[in-house]
Amino acid sequence: MQNLTILGSTGSIGVNTLDVVRRHRQSYRIVALCAHRQVERLFEQCIEFQPRYAVLGDRALAAALAARLAAASCPTEVASGPEALLRMAELPEVDVVMAAIVGAAGLPPTLAAAVAGKKILLANKEALVMAGAVFMRAVHQNGATLLPIDSEHNAIFQSLPSDYSGNLSESGVLGLFLTASGGPFRTMALADLDSVSPEQACAHPNWVMGQKISVDSATMMNKGLEIIEAHWLFNVPADKIEVVIHPESVVHSLVQYADGSVIAELGNPDMRTPIAHALAYPRRIAAGVEPLDLFQVASLHFERPDLERFPCLALAYRALSEGGCASTTLNAANEVAVQAFLEGRIAFTTIHLVIAAAMDQLPATKVLDSLADVLAADRMAREAAEQFIIAKAC
Ligand code: NAD
Ligand code: MG
């Protein structure tokens, strides 16, 4: 029996995780469910899974959840605030932490899970992008296990040799291909991108996801963040990570070997596959995913990304080559820009300008050696991005 904390249980990844757990109640027990503001969904999850703890990031809403649970005679204890999230990630009785909070808010509890030496199922790519060196050091020093949930990284993990130790050439690996769907605007006329709405940006052709990652997929910043994520997870330099647009989202990523072999993981686009893979690793369990029907898929397409259409991809490569705090700046400015776009304050095509402006303004040379350093760099980048947006509106 493995005991789980789910950070971000009410989101798209959280709900999919609970769906896999529901199929294997004899093997996984939910100890803590954590969310931000979705009282109703968290209440329902508590009734079904009877966790020991439920946490809401928003303190005001926690009292409402506690009252509803008490009225339903559910014994789950309710806590709130960022420090409660940290506690849930470190609980001694917890073996596995699903890190599925979206954005920078997920970093402190995910890092706490690493320091506590947990098995971490990492969906929250922003944590690794903003704090790569600090996070990986915590994982290694504390004997934590890091398993990727992002479908591309999970595919690469499955396609690398099982004894891969972070040295590409020793394993006979030439490089990685990260596949990308190209999002909803892959073929739209460039001139029309200025006026796309948040609803259009969130309507992903193949995956159903939270709002932030959906907009990131439309700008392809999601792939940019994933390049940086792959760099840290697999210790691979940027020039060995190539992005290939693959509109069907059936090949989830590939590893190219020196002998000419290319090994890939294929499947229907359903996040329950990587979640079940990481939960049970190294075993295999049913995920509730339909088997891939190759005859229905029939053909697969691959194309090179157009950097004029997707300038965020170039910004991610720039962040990796600058090093220092550049990826932290990129991630924070992107979060601010995506939020401003969702609120109708900036155009879709301004998102990359906000990020570039923050990166131009803040020197990348700053070395980030602790969580406090990372959070300070994150704050400065948010301010720079916000100022650019305000100045642009005037
Ligand atoms: P989502 O918006 O659907 O859910 C986010 C979750 O985080 C919710 O449960 C929300 O309550 C919680 N949350 C947000 N802010 C919080 C805060 N301050 N304190 C506590 N909880 C907070 O997002 P999602 O699509 O599930 O994505 C989650 C993470 O997984 C993201 O980092 C995303 O990039 C990554 N990811 C998602 C997918 C996918 O298919 N959805 C695929 C790959 C990676
Ligand atoms: Mg992905």
Side-chain angles (χ1 to χ4, degrees):
M1 177 67 79
Q2 299 212 40
N3 292 321
L4 264 80
T5 283
I6 302 183
L7 302 168
S9 69
T10 56
S12 161
I13 293 289
V15 167
N16 276 309
T17 305
L18 288 173
D19 187 73
V20 176
V21 167
R22 188 180 286 123
R23 295 161 197 274
H24 303 278
R25 297 291 281 263
Q26 72 293 353
S27 304
Y28 305 101
R29 191 176 54 191
I30 304 293
V31 174
L33 292 175
C34 310
H36 193 31
R37 313 175 63 98
Q38 286 166 291
V39 175
E40 190 54 39
R41 188 171 275 178
L42 189 55
F43 170 75
E44 284 163 13
Q45 292 178 344
C46 289
I47 296 296
E48 180 179 356
F49 290 93
Q50 302 271 312
R52 175 131 185 238
Y53 306 101
V55 171
L56 278 173
D58 187 306
R59 291 180 204 278
L61 294 172
L65 176 67
R68 289 209 54 193
L69 289 171
S73 307
C74 176
T76 300
E77 216 176 280
V78 178
S80 66
E83 37 338 299
L85 291 177
L86 295 182
R87 256 196 347 268
M88 297 304 120
E90 302 164 339
L91 287 170
E93 68 263 43
V94 163
D95 310 294
V96 182
V97 175
M98 164 55 85
I101 289 177
V102 60
L107 173 63
T110 308
L111 187 61
V115 171
K118 303 297 188 196
K119 173 169 154 182
I120 301 169
L121 314 189
L122 186 74
N124 177 214
K125 66 191 88 184
E126 294 92 342
L128 204 47
V129 171
M130 66 192 288
V134 170
F135 188 80
M136 292 311 287
R137 193 174 61 210
V139 166
H140 292 135
Q141 284 182 349
N142 298 286
T145 304
L146 191 55
L147 293 169
I149 293 299
D150 219 343
S151 57
E152 297 76 3
H153 306 72
N154 185 271
I156 288 170
F157 181 82
Q158 295 196 49
S159 304
L160 282 168
S162 57
D163 62 352
Y164 178 70
S165 63
N167 187 323
L168 282 190
S169 57
E170 233 170 53
S171 297
V173 175
L174 292 185
L176 313 179
F177 285 112
L178 285 183
T179 52
S181 69
F185 305 140
R186 183 174 60 90
T187 55
M188 184 180 270
L190 281 183
D192 294 341
L193 286 179
D194 268 338
S195 55
V196 296
S197 67
E199 291 69 32
Q200 284 172 292
C202 288
H204 195 279
N206 304 334
W207 301 92
V208 180
M209 310 183 284
Q211 274 194 322
K212 194 255 176 186
I213 184 173
S214 296
V215 177
D216 283 349
S217 297
T219 60
M220 277 192 81
M221 179 52 94
N222 183 48
K223 214 48 54 181
L225 300 178
E226 290 182 1
I227 294 166
I228 302 170
E229 184 184 12
H231 162 74
W232 288 111
L233 278 174
F234 305 116
N235 194 33
V236 177
D239 64 348
K240 300 268 191 268
I241 308 172
E242 192 161 351
V243 172
V244 54
I245 292 195
H246 165 49
E248 292 87 2
S249 299
V250 165
V251 179
H252 297 141
S253 279
L254 316 90
V255 175
Q256 186 156 47
Y257 286 85
D259 61 4
S261 303
V262 176
I263 299 189
E265 186 262 342
L266 284 74
N268 286 315
D270 188 321
M271 289 308 293
R272 291 175 300 177
T273 294
I275 291 168
H277 170 265
L279 256 183
Y281 181 78
R283 291 187 308 117
R284 297 277 179 173
I285 58 172
V289 177
E290 284 293 303
L292 184 65
D293 182 343
L294 283 175
F295 302 104
Q296 200 187 341
V297 172
S299 55
L300 300 171
H301 296 86
F302 301 96
E303 54 191 69
R304 210 177 277 287
D306 169 359
L307 291 185
E308 196 188 338
R309 180 180 293 275
F310 298 117
C312 287
L313 262 187
L315 288 173
Y317 279 114
R318 171 181 157 191
L320 263 187
S321 77
E322 287 182 1
C325 65
S327 295
T328 316
T329 302
L330 170 109
N331 180 67
N334 180 54
E335 285 191 27
V336 170
V338 169
Q339 190 56 37
F341 167 66
L342 288 170
E343 289 166 1
R345 294 167 59 211
I346 61 171
F348 181 76
T349 43
T350 304
I351 294 175
H352 74 98
L353 299 176
V354 176
I355 302 161
M359 290 176 74
D360 290 345
Q361 190 184 325
L362 299 169
T365 44
K366 198 182 220 167
V367 174
L368 306 179
D369 207 37
S370 65
L371 178 61
D373 290 349
V374 172
L375 296 180
D378 176 86
R379 252 192 323 272
M380 284 176 69
R382 280 169 200 273
E383 279 164 24
E386 206 45 75
Q387 274 165 16
F388 179 85
I389 291 169
I390 292 167
K392 206 160 164 56
C394 295

